[in-house]
């Protein structure tokens, strides 16, 4: 299970400040996690995929989308709306 924290415009846009999910076996990196989350709806897709104003941390360290995710990680997504 991973804990996901949402900051910036994501809180209002997605309607939550945090979530905990069990990682599927095929979710091995941030990019795949974002894709899985984006399937929750159109706003999720808009805010998480292709958003140049999205920053990601894993265990309080800034990371790239290619970074691995593992059970027990705390992932923070800091995003702002694309105008």
């Amino acid at each position: 299970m991973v804990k996901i924290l949402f900051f910036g415009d994501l809180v209002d846009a997605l309607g939550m400040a945090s979530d905990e999910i069990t990682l599927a076996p095929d979710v091995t990196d941030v990019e795949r996690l974002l894709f899985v989350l984006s399937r929750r709806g159109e706003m999720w897709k808009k805010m998480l995929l292709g958003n140049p104003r999205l920053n990601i941390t894993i265990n309080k360290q800034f990371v790239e989308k290619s970074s691995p995710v593992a059970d027990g990680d705390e992932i923070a997504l800091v995003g702002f709306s694309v105008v």
Side-chain angles (χ1 to χ4, degrees), residues 44 49 79:
W44 288 79
L49 299 183

Side-chain angles (χ1 to χ4, degrees), residues 17 36 40 48 58 67 72:
V36 168
R40 291 180 170 185
L48 300 179
I58 296 178
S67 298

Side-chain angles (χ1 to χ4, degrees), residues 4-11 14 16-17 30 34 37 47-48 51-58 60-63 65 75-82:
I4 305 171
L5 306 173
F6 302 101
F7 295 96
D9 293 340
L10 294 178
V11 175
L14 305 179
M16 62 175 55
V30 172
L34 294 176
L37 292 173
M47 294 300 289
L48 300 179
N51 183 347
R53 300 186 68 197
L54 179 68
N55 292 298
I56 304 142
T57 68
I58 296 178
K60 300 184 172 105
Q61 299 293 315
F62 282 98
V63 297
K65 290 182 182 174
I75 301 158
L77 303 176
V78 183
F80 298 94
S81 295
V82 178

Side-chain angles (χ1 to χ4, degrees), residues 14-52:
L14 305 179
M16 62 175 55
S18 67
D19 198 4
E20 289 191 29
I21 65 168
T22 300
L23 291 175
D26 65 329
V27 178
T28 58
D29 62 23
V30 172
E31 190 166 27
R32 182 69 181 157
L33 175 63
L34 294 176
F35 174 76
V36 168
L37 292 173
S38 76
R39 295 188 305 190
R40 291 180 170 185
E42 198 57 40
M43 185 57 71
W44 288 79
K45 183 176 180 180
K46 177 183 175 186
M47 294 300 289
L48 300 179
L49 299 183
N51 183 347

